[in-house]
Structures are given as C-alpha cells and as structure tokens.
Amino acid sequence: MPIEPLRLKKLDPLADLSDEDVMERCATGSEAGFRTLVQRYRSRIMNLVCRFINDRDRAEEIAQEVFLRVFRNRERYRKSGKFSTWIFTIAVNLTKNEIRSRVRHRGTYSLDAMEEETGGQGLPFPDWKPLPDQDLNAREIQHKVAEALRKIPPRYREAVVLRDVEGLSYEEVGEILRIPGGTVRSRINRARLMLKDRLKPHLNLEDDV
Amino acid sequence: MNCRSAESLYSAFLEDELSQEERRSLEAHLMGCRRCALSVKELKVTLEVMSDLPAIETSPHFEEEIFDRIRSGEALRPTLIEWLGGFFTADRLRPVFLTGAAVSALWIAVIVTHPEAYLPGGAVAKRGAGTPANSPDNRSLASTDGASVTPGASAGPIGPAFGPRAALASTEPAGVSSSSRRAPANRAGTSGDQWVDSQMPVASSASDSALPDPGARFQDEYILDQFYLDRGNNRGAQSIVPVSGNSSDDVYITF
C-alpha cells in the first residue's frame, strides 16, 4: 500500500483570534491582520450598505471606503470597544452621508422629506437586482423584501437592517445609531410592522388562526 | 389589553423577551383577537424571510482594490474630520485643559480673596464700609443693583445696572476713588440704597424732621458721569465738583 505524502495544511495564525485582537495587530502594522478583518467583514459591510442604499456599485465603493477608514484610523481604535460596533458605526455614517448627498442633489435636505417627496413610493435608487442562480419564488420574495425595506423611512430601515439582517443585539444597534435602548426596540418593532404590512400580500399565509 | 398595546409587544413576544405577566396578558388577548393573532403570525414569517435574505457578495477584486488603494497612498489621505480628530488627541489636549483649569482656579481664588477689585457686589460692600453712605460714589453703585434710580439722572435707555455710572463704579478701584473724591454724603444720614429727593434738605435727626434746618446740607446731585453738584446747605454756595478727585481740578464752578 503506497504511503501518501504528508500534506501540511497552511494554517492562518490569526484564525482563532477575536476581531479585537486582530485589530490590535493591525494597529501595530500587520498587513495580514488587516486582510483578515477585510475577509471577515467584507460581506457583512457590503450587505449592510447595499440594503441601505440599494445600489450595488455604489455600495461596493462605500464598503471599500469603510475598510480604508478602518486602516487610516487603526491607531485610534481602542480595544475596550467591540470591533464590530466600531466598523458598523463607520459604515452607517458613510451610508447616511451618501443618502444625504443624494437627497441634497435632489434639492431636499431631510431624509424623511425624501420619503415624503417620493410619496411613499420609495427612495430614488435603482431597483435591487436579485442574483440569477436562485429559485424563482425565493428570488421574488427577496425582491419584495428589498422593495419593502426601500420603502420604509430611513430611520426605521437602519435599525431593522442592523438587527434583522446583520443580527446585532439591541444594545449594539443603540450604540451604533446613538439612540437609547427603548427607542431602538420601538423603532425596530415599528419597522417590522411596516415590513409585515408591505409583505403580507406576498407571503401566502393561510388564515388558519 | 387592547390591540394597540398588544401590537407594541409583538417583537418582544416573538423574541421571548416579555415578562411572565406581559406574556400571559398578551396570550390572553391573542386568544380572543383573531386579527392580532394573524398579525403575530405574519410578523413571524416576515422575520424568517428577513433572516433568510442571502448575503450580498462583493466583487472578486474587492480586497485587492483596497490594498492597491492603500499601496498607492491615494486612499490614505485623511479627511478633514479625521485630520482634526488625529490632531486634537487626548494626549495633546490634556495639558491645555490642565493649564486652563489651573488658570481658572487661580482667577476664582483671586476673585474670592479680592472681590472689591473685580466684582461690582464686592465693590459695594467695600465702599459701603469705608465711604459715607450718600456720596455720589454710592449713588452710582446703588444704581447697579437696579433697586433705585439716581434722582435727576434717570437710567436712560440702557438701564441703571448697565449705564455709564455703573460701568464707572464697577471698574474703578473703590479705595482710590472714594478717598480721593470729596465726600459730600457725610452730611446726609441715608444709606447707599436709600434715596431721598435731591431737592429736599436732609433732616439731621428725627426731632427736626418737620422743619428744614437752615444748616442742613442738601443732597448732592450727579450731573454727568464726571461731575456732581455739591449743593452745600442753604447758606453755602453750590459747586460742581469733578468725580475724578483730581485736586487741581477740584472745583470747576462755584455759584
């Protein structure tokens, strides 16, 4: 029986470290540390930004800018805070700036006014395009969810995306959006009810209650 | 529980964050309200759909583009806010704050120990103790508390507390001005806050208050910021006296 050559698996020395520890290494100049953080968070940041502004190309640019800001400010990061909260705060702020600049470009200065301006027909962003290799029904539902998200006011959208899409805790959402816990909870509950009302016709629920 | 208050608990109910009492109360409501029960079910499905949303992937070149931008240095120029944030760090600001706190503490200590030199209130107290009560100095100072108005010289548009006399009184060192000026109020027995008609002679005692005393002094009167009218008594001559107390200019006009 032939003996198989011993294969040495290349191990990532940072794989077992927490985000905070990796960020600490990154702050001391570790490129590998920064690369690890990009790999860990690229999808989540892209997801968050894209759900906010519904424009894939621009969302990717903003996501890149988020990581560049992390890199630029790596020495200012304090390990006492959660890295995820820090990076999501940067992402939310950049996304809000993007929304503001779009609104300003349209001659409107309030995010909520933009919703009013569009008559509740959604924000003036390109439609979300679902991925092509997905089941038709699931794609349709995802499209409807994206559309429903787009139509709720931004302050509700950001809270519900952070909680239900990104899976952050209420405390983290409050910290990122700088609002108290009670406001976070009521805002998320309200956002969910709005989404439920918009998605109800597409959910095929049997009235068996 | 009504439908509206039940609705506010839906999320907490689905996430199992209600207290036992709240849960029991909501469940009792859902048993009897078909509409709310359906709403909870719809919300549950909505949350499931939301959590099943696929992740939106970045392009394959995402990571390398970031590193290219870092290597080129193009993306590393800080924004103005970042630059300011980097410049005003805690280490840089700490000595500034400490110096500011020390200077403030020193200033407060000086004010507390020498109130007459800096605060109008302190000046009043000092003058009240060392200066005859009805002197023109005290008249002007009394007007700073807004409780009284100088006869013959109304507060004007600015008001008694902020007029030129108040400024004059509050900025002048009390000891110097009160000692260098003539002190006509020694002849009157009123306090600094108490005003009498400037046209009336001041009674020297309670017994002769009904009849004017031929020797009693009239109240002096401010004319301008720089002069007051020394009325003397009904036998003596009136004179206009400079407030400045410069002995060479002591008497300008004598009637």
Side-chain angles (χ1 to χ4, degrees), chain A residues 94-147:
Chain A
L94 283 177
T95 312
K96 280 181 176 174
N97 289 349
E98 170 71 13
I99 294 173
R100 276 194 202 103
S101 80
R102 288 182 182 211
V103 174
R104 203 172 297 133
H105 197 64
R106 291 169 62 90
T108 316
Y109 289 86
S110 145
L111 294 178
D112 291 337
M114 182 165 69
E115 183 67 21
E116 284 170 22
E117 188 187 273
T118 56
Q121 294 305 302
L123 303 174
F125 304 140
D127 278 339
W128 167 248
K129 293 177 184 61
L131 298 173
D133 60 342
Q134 288 167 324
D135 159 68
L136 185 67
N137 189 36
R139 270 194 336 199
E140 228 177 82
I141 291 287
Q142 285 158 19
H143 179 74
K144 295 295 176 193
V145 172
E147 201 175 86

Side-chain angles (χ1 to χ4, degrees), chain B residues 124 133-156 158-163 165-166 190-197 219 222:
Chain B
V124 168
N134 205 25
S135 70
D137 302 345
N138 279 354
R139 292 180 187 191
S140 62
L141 288 166
S143 70
T144 62
D145 63 13
S148 52
V149 179
T150 307
S154 65
I158 302 173
F162 302 101
R165 279 173 210 165
T190 55
S191 72
D193 287 341
Q194 197 177 354
W195 290 95
V196 293
D197 187 348
Q219 291 289 313
Y222 250 71

